[in-house]
Amino acid sequence: DQQVKQNSPSLSVQEGRISILNCDYTNSMFDYFLWYKKYPAEGPTFLISISSIKDKNEDGRFTVFLNKSAKHLSLHIVPSQPGDSAVYFCAAGTYKYIFGTGTRLKVLA
Amino acid sequence: KAGVTQTPRYLIKTRGQQVTLSCSPISGHRSVSWYQQTPGQGLQFLFEYFSETQRNKGNFPGRFSGRQFSNSRSEMNVSTLELGDSALYLCASSLAGLAGTDTQYFGPGTRLTVL
């Protein structure tokens, strides 16, 4: 049973526009959420995180939103750049993290 | 500061064999976690070691085991390999493995192919 779901396996966005990646989770006990980015042949790299006491966290072009009542997490990238093309994983957990299946983002120049 | 290193990077084995993968964490990091990545399944948590003790474990069969040495280096062993074990195996290290306060840093992974 997948506790963390990324229902869109892929997403294409024009350069300069907003990319929105979504993530749903089922366990209301999760209190910490993260996004990782993964390029081919490399391990995932940490992007941004949010704790359950917040509903928004911003870091430059990246903003993560948390809707606890809907058990939904989203990552906004504005403006999107070709270098953002990668697979994005969301993760949720308490003492250990459950990862989603990933969304492949392609930013078109 | 050197990142997380994993050896070997690529491995080809046949069914029934066993394999050992190695992970060297970032210097000073005491927590090492192992994940399996397969297409469509994301990153699935295998286990976490902290100070040479397995602290957390995912839902994998007993064929998957690990250990951690006093220098925090960790090894993962898979016995009696099956075709379905073909995957990218990632290890991640963090200072203390505490969710919410620690960031996990991933290695590049070991690509295991079972024929």
Side-chain angles (χ1 to χ4, degrees):
Chain A
D1 182 31
Q2 206 52 17
Q3 294 190 61
V4 179
K5 293 180 184 177
Q6 292 177 258
N7 291 317
S8 298
S10 64
L11 176 68
S12 290
V13 171
Q14 281 296 132
E15 181 179 6
R17 305 295 290 268
I18 183 171
S19 295
I20 300 176
L21 295 98
N22 294 303
C23 179
D24 296 298
Y25 61 96
T26 57
N27 190 336
S28 58
M29 297 300 290
F30 289 154
D31 60 6
Y32 206 69
F33 307 86
L34 311 99
W35 285 94
Y36 280 83
K37 179 168 75 172
K38 186 179 185 301
Y39 292 118
E42 294 181 14
T45 53
F46 172 75
L47 203 52
I48 193 169
S49 63
I50 189 168
S51 73
S52 60
I53 62 172
K54 292 187 171 184
D55 53 19
K56 177 182 173 182
N57 189 25
E58 197 170 348
D59 184 2
R61 296 185 298 114
F62 302 90
T63 303
V64 57
F65 294 92
L66 177 63
N67 182 332
K68 289 185 287 296
S69 59
K71 298 193 186 70
H72 180 79
L73 186 69
S74 64
L75 174 69
H76 292 208
I77 307 173
V78 184
S80 301
Q81 299 173 354
D84 296 330
S85 297
V87 177
Y88 289 78
F89 290 97
C90 65
T94 52
Y95 57 89
K96 65 180 172 88
Y97 293 111
I98 310 291
F99 281 80
T101 51
T103 295
R104 183 177 300 279
L105 173 66
K106 190 170 182 179
V107 180
L108 307 168
Chain B
K1 203 176 194 181
V4 178
T5 58
Q6 291 186 245
T7 57
R9 292 293 310 276
Y10 302 92
L11 207 47
I12 299 176
K13 291 284 187 180
T14 56
R15 277 183 298 175
Q17 286 188 308
Q18 76 163 20
V19 67
T20 299
L21 313 181
S22 180
C23 172
S24 293
I26 291 172
S27 177
H29 285 192
R30 294 169 64 191
S31 168
V32 174
S33 296
W34 287 89
Y35 295 86
Q36 181 195 66
Q37 186 192 359
T38 54
Q41 291 294 317
L43 278 71
Q44 303 212 61
F45 174 75
L46 280 151
F47 29 66
E48 183 230 355
Y49 285 86
F50 180 80
S51 291
E52 302 177 66
T53 301
Q54 187 180 88
R55 189 162 64 172
N56 294 302
K57 190 176 187 306
N59 298 322
F60 277 79
R63 299 186 297 107
F64 292 82
S65 63
R67 59 178 175 166
Q68 186 180 35
F69 302 94
S70 58
N71 62 358
S72 294
R73 189 177 71 85
S74 178
E75 286 182 348
M76 190 190 94
N77 186 275
V78 188
S79 62
T80 320
L81 283 166
E82 300 177 359
L83 294 177
D85 297 332
S86 295
L88 179 68
Y89 290 88
L90 292 156
C91 89
S93 78
S94 63
L95 279 169
L98 299 173
T101 59
D102 256 354
T103 296
Q104 283 188 315
Y105 295 87
F106 281 84
T110 294
R111 171 74 62 186
L112 171 65
T113 301
V114 182
L115 303 175

